[in-house]
Amino acid sequence: MTSDYRCPFDNLLIVDLEATCDKDNFDYPPEIIQISVRVLNTREKVIREDLSFDKLIRPVINPKLTDYCVELTGIDQESIDKADTFPEVYDQFSAWLKEHDFQEKRFAFVCDTRQDMWRLAQYQFLLNKQPLPTIFRQWVNLGYHYEEDRRKAPVQDTWGPSLIEKMSGFYNIPFDGHAHNAKDDCAFLAKITKYLLDNGKLVTINESLKCISGMRNVPFTVDPEWKGNFESACKVFQAILPLVSTPTKRYFVEDYYGKCLYCFDATCTGLEHKQYPAYVYEQLKEPSDLAITAEITFFLFPPLPC
């Protein structure tokens, strides 16, 4: 155990997002319905139990939650109906960051995978027709640390089907609460982050969003049943979402923060698709509800003047 944490940030903000969903339909437009944030102060080496941000968010496009979503997240319809919409909650979150003096470049988000930032946050801001804020364009992906540690382990064990279950079993840290509820997931992920730091891990930005990536230059055959298969759906979304998530092995905050790590342009908003995947759209048996709902193609090809 080291005397100081190996982390260049004063605070790590562990974040988890939950969104609207439907069983066996991964093309269902995901609107964020819950955001939870826990704070790990890396200088004092503590999880701030006195400081957190937890909000439910009322969806607009599909205001009624599916039975599957209610069961998965534990969030009931009555609570959602009373919640504020995403723009209102995001303003509250921005005010919370300012109130507690969380300065850009001095904190980083921590997520369990790429899904929260690459898919959910990016998509929500596309729905709002707004550029993705700088703070969401780079983060710590805990899944990379878990996979690295697991490969080095003398015994390979599956532990469970979900990443949360796998990390809980592998690191021997119990999970308390309702799985897929952002508040409970976030509290657990904060413990995982502290465990890694306590054991000398370097915890810094290891994933970010780019406008162009080499992996998107390689055409692939779309699974005809992609809407019902999560991995197949992610391949489609990787092609059709304007910004793509890529591992980041070396990250220099002063040089890279707020910039697309492909074009290094701070004005790369993510509203224009610089690798438009026409071949993917051509293979779809039916249009993508996710793309149509966010008018992703509209950003790319606005209607011609009459």
Side-chain angles (χ1 to χ4, degrees), residues 247-263:
T248 304
K249 293 184 178 180
R250 302 179 68 190
Y251 188 89
F252 303 99
V253 177
E254 292 301 323
D255 295 330
Y256 294 169
Y257 185 83
K259 297 178 182 177
C260 167
L261 295 190
Y262 175 81
C263 65

Side-chain angles (χ1 to χ4, degrees), residues 67-88:
D67 292 341
Y68 172 75
C69 186
V70 171
E71 181 179 356
L72 182 72
T73 64
I75 300 171
D76 63 89
Q77 185 66 47
E78 183 179 359
S79 297
I80 282 293
D81 289 341
K82 296 176 182 177
D84 293 327
T85 60
F86 182 82
E88 295 170 303

